[in-house]
């Protein structure tokens, strides 16, 4: 079902979110069968919730999450769009299926995977690129509204939150879900469809 003209897709993610990770794996699968031209953008759960009333337990997670978003924002600014997805993959593999909660371990290993020097890790604790990171965040979130999270996906300019899926489908099932989600999202009057989650993120 691939066509000669690729479908333009923008994907906003927070590297720390397991649900965004699951959705990104699905988009990777769908892209194999649906000629997708995906551009990857960072967003931030810390920024999204900075003025919200959230639990102390959830808020305690934000400093760690912010280190990963800052690292990706810096990599994009200094090395271009092409580094964003490989660095996300390198971080996410360790954070999610790898189960690591220690950025001081995750970050150096991820940088080595993508060929960036160890000293680049300093950007994870610097706010130097926060304006660019926040601009990327709000570029995504302003397309769908403040009452959602990560990921945000835009297909040919039509944006939506999610989908929240577990496990990530593969092969024809991934392509079938892609077709359905895009069809639903393309209707201007469609806003929400939801059911309670019965499983957590199921990683390969």
């Amino acid at each position: 079902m691939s066509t000669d003209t690729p479908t333009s897709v923008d994907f906003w993610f927070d590297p720390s979110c397991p649900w965004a990770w699951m959705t990104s794996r699905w988009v990777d699968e769908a892209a194999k069968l649906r000629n997708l031209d995906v551009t990857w953008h960072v967003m931030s759960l810390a920024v999204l919730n900075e003025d919200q009333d959230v639990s102390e337990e959830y808020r305690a997670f934000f400093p760690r999450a912010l280190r990963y978003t800052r690292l990706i924002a810096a990599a994009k600014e200094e090395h271009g769009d092409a580094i964003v997805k490989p660095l996300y993959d390198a971080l996410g593999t360790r954070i999610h299926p790898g189960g690591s909660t220690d950025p001081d371990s995750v970050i150096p290993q991820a940088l080595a995977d993508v060929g960036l020097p160890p000293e680049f890790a300093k950007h994870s604790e610097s706010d130097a690129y926060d304006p660019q990171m926040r601009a990327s965040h709000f570029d995504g979130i302003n397309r769908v509204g403040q009452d959602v999270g990560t990921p945000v996906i835009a297909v040919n300019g039509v944006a939506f939150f999610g989908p929240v899926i577990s496990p990530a489908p593969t092969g024809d099932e991934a392509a079938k879900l892609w077709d359905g989600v895009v069809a639903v999202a393309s209707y201007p009057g469609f806003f929400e469809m939801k059911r309670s989650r019965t499983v957590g993120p199921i990683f390969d």
Side-chain angles (χ1 to χ4, degrees):
M1 214 168 138
S2 257
T3 61
D4 291 334
T5 303
T7 299
S8 176
V9 178
D10 291 277
F11 190 111
W12 284 265
F13 63 91
D14 184 310
S16 294
C17 178
W19 298 105
W21 177 256
M22 300 296 292
T23 307
S24 72
R25 302 310 93 181
W26 161 62
V27 170
D28 280 347
E29 280 289 309
K32 297 174 184 177
L33 297 175
R34 291 295 184 268
N35 195 12
L36 308 181
D37 180 16
V38 186
T39 303
W40 301 84
H41 310 270
V42 74
M43 63 180 290
S44 170
L45 289 170
V47 171
L48 182 67
N49 290 282
E50 60 189 355
D51 297 320
Q52 302 301 313
D53 183 16
V54 299
S55 71
E56 288 304 312
E57 180 182 9
Y58 188 36
R59 193 169 295 281
F61 145 85
F62 294 153
R64 181 173 79 242
L66 195 56
R67 288 188 65 184
Y68 299 132
T69 58
R70 283 174 163 166
L71 187 74
I72 289 181
K76 176 179 178 178
E77 291 305 311
E78 296 198 5
H79 298 279
D81 286 336
I83 196 70
V84 173
K85 180 59 160 50
L87 184 54
Y88 178 32
D89 290 345
L91 292 167
T93 297
R94 290 170 172 83
I95 296 166
H96 303 300
S100 178
T101 59
D102 179 15
D104 290 326
S105 171
V106 168
I107 289 172
Q109 296 173 30
L111 291 175
D113 278 2
V114 300
L116 292 177
E119 56 267 25
F120 200 83
K122 68 183 180 183
H123 291 295
S124 73
E125 299 184 277
S126 167
D127 62 2
Y129 291 112
D130 275 16
Q132 293 91 331
M133 180 269 287
R134 294 174 73 90
S136 177
H137 169 87
F138 286 111
D139 182 30
I141 207 70
N142 287 342
R143 300 176 189 227
V144 290
Q146 294 290 323
D147 57 341
V148 298
T150 178
V152 169
I153 300 176
V155 182
N156 289 329
V158 177
F160 51 90
F161 161 67
V164 176
I165 50 177
S166 181
T170 58
D172 289 340
E173 191 174 26
K176 182 179 178 181
L177 179 61
W178 176 262
D179 294 342
V181 168
V182 171
V184 167
S186 68
Y187 177 63
F190 177 80
F191 299 108
E192 187 170 351
M193 181 167 63
K194 188 172 183 179
R195 58 186 170 192
S196 297
R197 280 178 261 177
T198 57
V199 298
I202 300 171
F203 306 118
D204 290 338

